[in-house]
Amino acid sequence: MTTTRPVRLHPLVFLDEGEDVTIGRRDIDSYVVFPADGARAVERLAAGSSPDEVGAWYAAAYGVELDVADLMATLAELDFVVAGCEPVALPALVRWQRLGRAVFSPLGWAVMAGLVALAGLVMASDRHYRPHVRHLFFTDSLLAMDLALFAATIPLIIVHESFHVLAGRRLGLNSSLSLGWRAWFLVVETHLDGLVSVPRRSRYLPMLAGMVADTVMIAALTLGAYAADRAGAPQLVGAVGLAAAFGGVLRLVWQLLVFMRTDVYYLIATVFQTVDVHAVARARLADDVRRLLRLDPRHDPTRWHPRDLAVSAWYRWVLLGGFALMASMTAWALIPALVRVTRMAAARFADPSASWWLAADAALFIVLNLAQFVIPTVLGARRWWRVRHSQGARS
């Protein structure tokens, strides 16, 4: 590559964050962090200066030589450089940007707040509509209950992730939604790589948008159940809505379990600009326990990033709060649900006069739920065994 002529670069975005500058192409979500002086050099290349001219400018400005060849190789590797006869990339067309702006407009926020407020009034006036584990048991068929909740959960998860996407699209980011598999589980994933190219304060809403969606959907399902009951619809209609709403409450609480690296965790990490505060907080908690046992700490605080060390002073208690919340949620919802299901299944197996289909229903329910845990465990154990066996064979 000649260094005496200007090079063509694709349209780039520059986000100055003090000592570092994020540079990237939003159309392909390719980003890199440069020191401020290096970013200034890239800006001059983008403005039309040749690599040699940029090198001379850098030496005059900073008193050291710039490795122009290495800089150009890095830019080419990131696909920032227009290669040969390749056309210059056009600004990415961000679909659904208007919809994202409409959803999170003042009117959109007012509508969502109104739904939540109305649902709150309904819950306050009639305890039947308050979230409770009993709402999960809206039918005598355990299998039908399981399948109906699964069918209701998938669309709600998609809405949750779609709010993340729309919150990113409103900023002009090429955020996307995809379906994937983890082991045997279908998952919905949101890609928000472009968040690194917008100011830090603009990243908060895309991170929290899923929780906004969960809150609104809980309210909408509760109001729908209330309206269906008042209109004289079949009781099952409102019951399914309340069951789905209760599942939404569990997912909303789950986001507060920061030890699971949830949306709230990434919000904290972004707001306080940490590197890996989660690992540091866990290490500090482990050392706290060792001190209580009059043992020497195992970790050296000087090896931690100063920002992580400062934030972990209080974040480790947030981490503990997440575990406490998990225990509370287990006691409030999971254990009562498990006890009730166990009693229902045991009663059907023990009662010889019970209909055969009720026993079959319970058996299929148990098999279906156990399979969700047994199959991934078996597959994981097989992968582990194969890796260990192959390593042993090589040695």
Side-chain angles (χ1 to χ4, degrees):
M1 178 184 294
T2 181
T3 59
T4 58
R5 297 178 182 177
V7 296
R8 294 191 303 162
L9 299 182
H10 292 289
L12 302 176
V13 292
F14 294 82
L15 177 63
D16 193 337
E17 296 185 287
E19 295 182 359
D20 297 323
V21 178
T22 300
I23 308 174
R25 282 181 61 183
R26 283 183 176 170
D27 59 314
I28 61 171
D29 278 337
S30 177
Y31 302 95
V32 66
V33 177
F34 269 61
D37 57 337
R40 300 291 85 80
V42 177
E43 285 182 337
R44 285 182 169 265
L45 288 171
S49 297
S50 70
D52 281 352
E53 291 171 339
V54 170
W57 165 83
Y58 189 93
Y62 297 101
V64 294
E65 295 294 326
L66 174 66
D67 191 338
V68 175
D70 182 65
L71 173 63
M72 297 308 300
T74 299
L75 297 180
E77 184 179 351
L78 293 165
D79 290 327
F80 290 177
V81 179
V82 180
C85 298
E86 177 189 7
V88 176
L90 297 175
L93 178 62
V94 180
R95 300 179 61 187
W96 310 113
Q97 187 172 10
R98 290 184 178 179
L99 177 59
R101 289 175 175 173
V103 169
F104 298 104
S105 67
L107 177 60
W109 282 112
V111 171
M112 291 188 288
L115 286 174
V116 174
L118 285 175
L121 290 174
V122 168
M123 294 178 189
S125 62
D126 191 337
R127 63 183 302 171
H128 172 70
Y129 296 97
R130 300 172 192 172
H132 196 277
V133 68
R134 66 174 178 273
H135 291 150
L136 296 176
F137 300 90
F138 55 85
T139 175
D140 291 334
S141 171
L142 293 174
L143 184 62
M145 177 189 71
D146 203 30
L147 295 177
L149 289 175
F150 175 79
T153 297
I154 294 300
L156 295 178
I157 292 176
I158 292 176
V159 171
H160 172 104
E161 300 298 338
S162 295
F163 264 52
H164 284 302
V165 171
L166 289 175
R169 291 290 178 102
R170 62 184 265 279
L171 299 174
L173 304 180
N174 202 25
S175 52
S176 61
L177 191 68
S178 65
L179 296 177
W181 291 89
R182 292 180 185 170
W184 285 75
F185 298 99
L186 179 67
V187 295
V188 184
E189 300 174 328
T190 303
H191 305 281
L192 286 166
D193 297 339
L195 278 182
V196 298
S197 68
V198 300
R200 197 171 301 275
R201 64 181 179 277
S202 298
R203 303 174 195 174
Y204 304 153
L205 178 57
M207 292 180 176
L208 292 177
M211 296 180 68
V212 173
D214 290 338
T215 303
V216 172
M217 292 308 298
I218 292 168
L221 288 166
T222 301
L223 292 174
Y226 178 81
D229 292 343
R230 291 298 179 271
Q235 186 177 2
L236 187 62
V237 175
V240 172
L242 291 177
F246 182 75
V249 171
L250 295 182
R251 287 191 299 276
L252 189 59
V253 173
W254 182 82
Q255 294 294 342
L256 301 176
L257 308 181
V258 293
F259 63 88
M260 299 290 289
R261 305 291 183 103
T262 59
D263 295 346
V264 172
Y265 165 74
Y266 287 108
L267 176 70
I268 292 173
T270 300
V271 170
F272 295 98
Q273 304 179 40
T274 61
V275 177
D276 191 0
V277 68
H278 186 79
V280 173
R282 288 175 65 94
R284 291 191 67 172
L285 283 173
D287 285 346
D288 289 340
V289 172
R290 292 183 64 84
R291 289 189 185 94
L292 288 175
L293 298 175
R294 297 186 178 182
L295 299 173
D296 293 332
R298 288 183 174 178
H299 303 91
D300 180 8
T302 61
R303 302 182 63 182
W304 295 329
H305 191 281
R307 195 65 182 164
D308 288 343
L309 186 61
V311 174
S312 65
W314 57 265
Y315 175 79
R316 67 184 190 269
W317 307 119
V318 175
L319 192 63
L320 275 180
F323 286 111
L325 183 60
M326 178 65 179
S328 299
M329 186 171 67
T330 301
W332 173 58
L334 301 183
I335 291 179
L338 181 61
V339 169
R340 183 164 177 175
V341 166
T342 302
R343 286 177 175 175
M344 291 174 66
R348 293 175 183 184
F349 293 141
D351 186 2
S353 63
S355 301
W356 67 268
W357 72 267
L358 287 176
D361 175 84
L364 287 173
F365 172 83
I366 293 172
V367 170
L368 183 62
N369 282 274
L370 286 178
Q372 297 181 50
F373 301 97
V374 172
I375 293 176
T377 302
V378 171
L379 292 176
R382 289 182 62 184
R383 284 195 296 269
W384 175 83
W385 174 257
R386 288 174 180 173
V387 170
R388 184 171 182 179
H389 181 72
S390 62
Q391 290 175 344
R394 285 196 296 269
S395 62

